[in-house]
């Protein structure tokens, strides 16, 4: 059989002009036809050209056998051409299903764009950037409540507006390693990001996500009310387990020794220093964390007094009204030295005997995205209740005072509050807040998310409305 080889310049169906519908190319002549609408079938029948190539998968179809034929050489050619296409394109904006991505290996290769000298010159002469208007709705999409699933919807809104997570999924970086991609939560998150940033305005129905959560986090299964914080940790855990970690994971710069996208973004290192009260020897351990759970005034746990700034001054960007507890107050309490008492003696490696000690927690390594959990739901032997204490939180938060390095500097008498906060690596910007209204028995979750600078929206399941910065900062986080 003589097969002509040519370079295709415009791949559209020669009968209907479509470029989708599983376009196939005849391997005998220059003809493109839709497989779905059987235009390539008609061509094969009239011309007796019985071999065609699927332009999406690279598979060879035989119209005499009425099936695809596996050929090792053609498979190798398809892979090689795919690699060349990736080098040329770096990123393919065409939205295809995850199944197609898995079958074709799209996402296997990701190349960053390296501008040429000519392109750099053009960029220098044309510095104008694309302007995002304030009424832009790309990325905003409501989520249907599938029966007490507001706890899931508010966390999904926060995750889909996490900038680095969005960049990861929209550049098709995930390569599935699961035996069954349909059971992979990371694949579903990839599809979810495509749905959110597709431009569709109708509410999305996250039934596949809910099914996977029920499958992989059994304690969240069922239609009862669940805790949003518990869902966040369970979701991060399942995503972490389903992500592919390569051999460089052990060398990764985070305490979990994993280089998956979840650990790159959310994992920090919490340092615990236990100091013997007799010999003052210090035992230090560092544990990974995805979030920091903070006690509140009003709980049965004794709370640290309010900060010195509670007379109306501003500390760490937070406006202190008399008697108001701030996020900084909660963090100060979290990182204060705590006397463990005579009932919790530890064996000191210096004294070689059980001694009383103090324990202090500080941040050894900060995550890129810091999650703070305010412990509003109290479950003790005596009572189950919700703590409604108002806690003010800032748009900008400096974590420097709570770092292990700051503690060491203070002990050496060298600590100074940084004057140039603009160059401070420990500074965070608020981009999502999850709220709970109601009681422990009957409540509802909503969230505030930042679309771009100073543009905030309230997400209440399927309904999304514009919100002011005051609405966000006054909310019961």
């Amino acid at each position: 059989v003589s097969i002509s080889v040519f370079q295709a310049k415009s791949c559209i169906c020669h009968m209907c002009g479509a470029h989708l519908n599983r376009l196939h190319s005849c391997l005998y002549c220059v003809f493109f036809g839709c497989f779905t609408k059987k235009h390539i079938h008609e061509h094969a029948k009239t011309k007796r050209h019985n071999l065609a190539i699927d332009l999406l998968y690279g598979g060879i179809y035989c119209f005499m056998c009425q099936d695809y034929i596996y050929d090792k050489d053609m498979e190798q050619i398809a892979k090689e051409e795919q690699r060349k296409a990736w080098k040329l394109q770096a990123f393919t904006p065409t939205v295809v299903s995850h199944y197609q991505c898995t079958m074709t290996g799209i996402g296997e290769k990701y190349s960053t764009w390296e501008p040429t000298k000519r392109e750099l010159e053009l960029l220098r002469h044309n510095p104008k950037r694309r302007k995002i208007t304030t009424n832009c709705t790309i990325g905003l999409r409501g989520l249907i409540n599938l029966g007490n699933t507001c706890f899931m919807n508010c966390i999904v809104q926060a995750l889909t507006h996490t900038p680095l997570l969005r960049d990861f999924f929209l550049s098709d970086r995930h390569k599935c390693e699961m035996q069954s991609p349909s059971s992979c939560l990371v694949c579903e998150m990839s599809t979810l990001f495509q749905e959110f940033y597709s431009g569709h305005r109708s509410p999305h129905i996250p039934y596949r996500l809910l099914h996977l959560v029920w499958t992989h986090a059994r304690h969240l299964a069922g239609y009862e009310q669940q805790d949003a914080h518990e869902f966040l940790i369970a979701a991060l855990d399942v995503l972490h387990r389903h992500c592919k970690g390569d051999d460089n994971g052990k060398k990764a710069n985070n305490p979990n020794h994993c280089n998956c996208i979840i650990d790159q973004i959310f994992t920090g290192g919490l340092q615990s220093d236990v100091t013997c009260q007799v010999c003052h020897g210090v035992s230090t351990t560092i544990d990974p964390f995805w979030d920091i759970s903070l006690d509140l005034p009003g709980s049965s746990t004794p709370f640290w007094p309010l900060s010195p700034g509670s007379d109306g001054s501003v500390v760490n960007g937070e406006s202190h009204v008399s008697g108001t507890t701030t996020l900084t107050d909660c963090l100060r309490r979290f990182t204060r030295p705590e006397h463990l008492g005579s009932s919790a003696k530890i064996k000191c490696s210096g004294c070689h005997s059980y001694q009383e000690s103090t324990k202090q927690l500080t941040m050894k390594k900060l995550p890129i995205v810091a999650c703070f959990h305010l412990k509003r739901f109290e479950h003790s032997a005596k009572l189950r209740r919700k703590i409604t204490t108002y806690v003010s939180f800032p748009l900008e938060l400096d974590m420097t005072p709570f770092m292990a390095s700051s503690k060491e500097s203070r002990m050496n008498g060298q600590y100074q509050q940084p004057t140039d906060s603009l160059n401070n690596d420990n500074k965070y910007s608020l981009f999502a807040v999850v709220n709970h209204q109601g009681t422990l028995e009957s409540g509802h979750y909503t969230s505030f998310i930042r679309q771009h600078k100073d543009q905030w929206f309230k997400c209440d399941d399927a309904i999304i409305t514009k919100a002011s910065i005051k609405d966000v900062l006054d909310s019961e986080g």
Side-chain angles (χ1 to χ4, degrees), residues 264-362:
Q264 284 183 48
I265 296 174
F266 295 99
T267 299
L270 188 66
Q271 180 168 316
S272 172
D273 293 317
V274 178
T275 308
C276 174
Q277 294 298 282
V278 177
C279 70
H280 302 292
V282 181
S283 173
T284 300
T285 55
I286 298 169
D287 296 305
F289 70 88
W290 277 330
D291 74 322
I292 299 165
S293 291
L294 302 168
D295 287 313
L296 301 182
S299 69
S300 55
T301 311
F303 197 81
W304 201 29
L306 292 174
S307 68
S310 58
D311 56 355
S313 62
V314 175
V315 174
N316 209 349
E318 295 166 309
S319 179
H320 289 250
V321 181
S322 183
T324 300
T325 304
T326 69
L327 181 62
T328 305
D329 290 327
C330 298
L331 284 165
R332 280 178 175 165
R333 185 193 184 283
F334 182 78
T335 55
R336 68 172 181 172
E338 179 187 1
H339 188 72
L340 296 179
S342 55
S343 60
K345 289 182 177 181
I346 60 152
K347 189 169 184 179
C348 175
S349 57
C351 302
H352 302 292
S353 60
Y354 286 91
Q355 303 290 352
E356 288 190 24
S357 58
T358 59
K359 179 182 178 181
Q360 184 173 12
L361 299 173
T362 50

Side-chain angles (χ1 to χ4, degrees), residues 427-447:
K427 199 169 187 179
Y428 286 82
S429 296
L430 187 72
F431 77 92
V433 180
V434 172
N435 305 108
H436 181 271
Q437 293 85 38
T439 64
L440 255 178
E441 289 73 29
S442 177
H444 179 60
Y445 282 105
T446 59
S447 58

Side-chain angles (χ1 to χ4, degrees), residues 141-147 149-154 156-157 160 185 188-189 191-192 195-196 202-214 223 231 461-462:
R141 198 164 181 188
L143 290 164
I144 297 292
N145 191 317
L146 299 170
T149 57
C150 56
F151 71 95
M152 177 180 77
N153 290 350
C154 65
V156 167
Q157 291 287 0
T160 50
L185 189 64
E188 180 53 35
M189 281 299 291
T191 304
L192 203 65
E195 287 287 348
F196 264 75
S202 59
H204 178 64
I205 308 170
Y207 64 92
R208 285 194 306 270
L209 178 69
L210 184 64
H211 171 71
L212 285 173
V213 168
W214 285 1
Y223 289 104
F231 174 80
D461 289 331

Side-chain angles (χ1 to χ4, degrees), residues 158-174:
L159 291 176
T160 50
H161 288 86
T162 302
L164 285 175
L165 207 58
R166 176 197 63 207
D167 295 347
F168 175 84
F169 282 112
L170 293 186
S171 56
D172 200 20
R173 297 289 295 275
H174 170 59

Side-chain angles (χ1 to χ4, degrees), residues 176-470:
C176 188
E177 292 293 311
M178 299 279 284
Q179 288 184 344
S180 172
S182 61
S183 66
C184 177
L185 189 64
V186 194
C187 291
E188 180 53 35
M189 281 299 291
S190 185
T191 304
L192 203 65
F193 272 89
Q194 288 181 15
E195 287 287 348
F196 264 75
Y197 291 90
S198 64
H200 295 306
R201 297 191 179 196
S202 59
H204 178 64
I205 308 170
Y207 64 92
R208 285 194 306 270
L209 178 69
L210 184 64
H211 171 71
L212 285 173
V213 168
W214 285 1
T215 303
H216 297 293
R218 299 276 180 183
H219 60 292
L220 295 174
Y223 289 104
E224 300 85 20
Q225 290 190 62
Q226 301 288 356
D227 181 48
H229 169 250
E230 195 173 359
F231 174 80
L232 170 67
I233 298 305
L236 293 179
D237 178 56
V238 177
L239 287 167
H240 161 70
R241 286 191 279 119
H242 288 191
C243 275
K244 175 181 178 279
D246 60 30
D247 295 334
N248 295 323
K250 291 180 181 178
K251 299 172 188 174
N253 185 27
N254 69 59
N256 249 6
H257 301 303
C258 175
N259 70 337
C260 79
I261 190 63
I262 298 302
D263 280 310
Q264 284 183 48
I265 296 174
F266 295 99
T267 299
L270 188 66
Q271 180 168 316
S272 172
D273 293 317
V274 178
T275 308
C276 174
Q277 294 298 282
V278 177
C279 70
H280 302 292
V282 181
S283 173
T284 300
T285 55
I286 298 169
D287 296 305
F289 70 88
W290 277 330
D291 74 322
I292 299 165
S293 291
L294 302 168
D295 287 313
L296 301 182
S299 69
S300 55
T301 311
F303 197 81
W304 201 29
L306 292 174
S307 68
S310 58
D311 56 355
S313 62
V314 175
V315 174
N316 209 349
E318 295 166 309
S319 179
H320 289 250
V321 181
S322 183
T324 300
T325 304
T326 69
L327 181 62
T328 305
D329 290 327
C330 298
L331 284 165
R332 280 178 175 165
R333 185 193 184 283
F334 182 78
T335 55
R336 68 172 181 172
E338 179 187 1
H339 188 72
L340 296 179
S342 55
S343 60
K345 289 182 177 181
I346 60 152
K347 189 169 184 179
C348 175
S349 57
C351 302
H352 302 292
S353 60
Y354 286 91
Q355 303 290 352
E356 288 190 24
S357 58
T358 59
K359 179 182 178 181
Q360 184 173 12
L361 299 173
T362 50
M363 309 295 156
K364 179 65 177 178
K365 179 187 177 293
L366 289 172
I368 294 172
V369 171
C371 303
F372 299 105
H373 165 227
L374 304 181
K375 293 160 75 172
R376 294 200 176 275
F377 301 152
E378 187 171 42
H379 303 271
S380 65
K382 294 180 181 178
L383 73 164
R384 291 177 70 252
R385 65 188 179 119
K386 180 185 173 185
I387 300 163
T388 56
T389 306
Y390 172 69
V391 177
S392 73
F393 47 89
L395 287 171
E396 302 283 332
L397 177 70
D398 185 5
M399 288 291 288
T400 304
F402 315 111
M403 296 294 290
S405 54
S406 299
K407 175 195 169 188
E408 289 158 12
S409 299
R410 275 195 298 271
M411 288 171 71
N412 297 331
Q414 298 170 344
Y415 179 74
Q416 290 182 335
Q417 187 72 25
T419 52
D420 186 6
S421 58
L422 291 173
N423 293 328
N424 185 7
D425 291 336
N426 303 329
K427 199 169 187 179
Y428 286 82
S429 296
L430 187 72
F431 77 92
V433 180
V434 172
N435 305 108
H436 181 271
Q437 293 85 38
T439 64
L440 255 178
E441 289 73 29
S442 177
H444 179 60
Y445 282 105
T446 59
S447 58
F448 288 106
I449 54 99
R450 190 179 72 179
Q451 173 74 340
H452 35 267
K453 189 169 172 63
D454 297 336
Q455 296 294 315
W456 286 87
F457 293 87
K458 182 180 181 180
C459 303
D460 186 350
D461 289 331
I463 302 165
I464 296 183
T465 51
K466 193 96 166 58
S468 68
I469 292 175
K470 187 178 186 301

